[in-house]
Amino acid sequence: QLQASGGGLVQAGGSLTLSCAASGRTFSGYSMGWFRQAPGKEREFVAAINWSGGRTYYADSVKGRFTISRDNAKNTVYLQMNSLKPEDTAVYYCAAQGAPARTLVAGTAYDYWGQETQVTVSS
């Protein structure tokens, strides 16, 4: 129901835009989040956006470099990633959390998860 795409290989300092397209149901009333997991590390929160797009949240490690946005008409959430660093290398996941939102930074609070997309940043 959630399909992430847009990952790839990019040099440090480059940019990528991830997309998370929903199908089968509308997620316009859901808060959406992006998480990532690097090899040998635990999954970590990256960014989240509330149902209307009026509120966004970011991990300190990506604040100022990444931007989360959504287009409810297209049932799609985006993660614009700029100034990428090698430490951003990970598999990225999008997730959806139904209302009322509980916490947007904890993966355990999300109800639906999309397939991963790999982001590799070379130095």
Side-chain angles (χ1 to χ4, degrees):
Q1 289 183 322
L2 294 174
Q3 180 65 55
S5 63
L9 173 63
V10 63
Q11 288 187 333
S15 299
L16 283 174
T17 299
L18 304 184
S19 299
C20 176
S23 61
R25 67 187 301 161
T26 178
F27 285 90
S28 59
Y30 285 68
S31 297
M32 302 295 293
W34 286 96
F35 292 78
R36 68 187 182 185
Q37 187 167 17
K41 295 186 177 181
E42 294 187 351
R43 183 180 63 193
E44 65 174 356
F45 168 76
V46 176
I49 189 167
N50 75 330
W51 69 273
S52 68
R55 293 185 178 181
T56 57
Y57 307 84
Y58 298 94
D60 288 342
S61 60
V62 306
K63 200 171 294 182
R65 300 188 297 122
F66 291 11
T67 302
I68 188 171
S69 61
R70 67 189 298 161
D71 185 339
N72 286 339
K74 295 182 178 180
N75 230 11
T76 301
V77 176
Y78 305 95
L79 184 67
Q80 173 68 44
M81 305 185 295
N82 298 326
S83 302
L84 283 161
K85 303 175 181 179
E87 51 263 45
D88 294 318
T89 295
V91 291
Y92 284 70
Y93 302 86
C94 61
Q97 182 178 157
R102 299 169 287 283
T103 170
L104 298 187
V105 302
T108 53
Y110 285 78
D111 304 302
Y112 299 94
W113 289 84
Q115 292 183 323
E116 64 192 46
T117 186
Q118 174 72 45
V119 172
T120 303
V121 184
S122 62
S123 57

